[in-house]
Amino acid sequence: QVQLQESGPGLVKPSQTLSLTCTVSGDSIAALRFYWAWVRQPPGKGLEWVGYISYLGNTYYNPSLESRTSISRNTSNNQFHLQLTSVTPEDTAMYYCARLDGSIWSFDYWGQGTQVTVSS
C-alpha cells in the first residue's frame, strides 16, 4: 500500500517561500515509470497541477508557475519537496502530493493534503 504524507508550514507571509515535503512509504520514488507530483486546489476552484519529478529526477512544471517553482527529491529519505517563491495570497490553497503512473498517465495515490494560507 502506497502512502503519501504532506508536511510543512500552514501559514506563509507574502513574498516569502512556501516549502512543503511529501514523505512516501510503500514504494520507492526512484521506481521505474512513476512520477511524483504536487497539485493544489485554491478555495472554490478546481485542481491545478504545480509540477512533478520523475523517477530519474527530471522535473516538469506548470508553465504559469515555472519561474517560481522548484521540485527536488531525497531518495535516501524517500521524500520529495516543493518550493514556491515570492508567494502571494493567490497561492493560498490545499496542496496535495500524488503519484502519477506514467504507463497510463493517471494519478493513482494521493496524500491527504495540507492547507497553506498566504497572509501577513
Side-chain angles (χ1 to χ4, degrees):
Q1 179 75 10
V2 179
Q3 293 184 317
L4 299 92
Q5 179 66 58
E6 304 89 351
S7 59
L11 180 64
V12 183
K13 292 184 176 357
S15 81
Q16 293 189 342
T17 297
L18 180 161
S19 297
L20 297 176
T21 293
C22 183
T23 301
V24 179
S25 60
D27 192 13
S28 167
I29 62 172
L32 293 179
R33 99 164 189 253
F34 294 111
Y35 298 76
W36 303 90
W38 289 99
V39 180
R40 69 183 187 179
Q41 185 169 28
K45 298 184 179 180
L47 293 172
E48 178 183 35
W49 165 63
V50 177
Y52 58 84
I53 187 165
S54 77
Y55 51 91
L56 293 176
N58 300 318
T59 52
Y60 307 84
Y61 302 124
N62 185 323
S64 68
L65 300 170
E66 185 169 9
S67 64
R68 300 192 290 125
T69 307
S70 177
I71 296 176
S72 60
R73 67 177 184 171
N74 184 327
T75 55
S76 298
N77 292 341
N78 218 36
Q79 295 175 326
F80 62 106
H81 312 281
L82 170 67
Q83 286 198 319
L84 185 65
T85 63
S86 303
V87 297
T88 72
E90 285 67 43
D91 294 308
T92 294
M94 184 72 79
Y95 284 77
Y96 299 92
C97 57
R99 191 180 81 167
L100 181 64
D101 186 334
S103 67
I104 57 174
W105 212 245
S106 176
F107 293 108
D108 57 1
Y109 288 98
W110 292 78
Q112 64 183 21
T114 187
Q115 175 67 40
V116 178
T117 300
V118 179
S119 175
S120 55

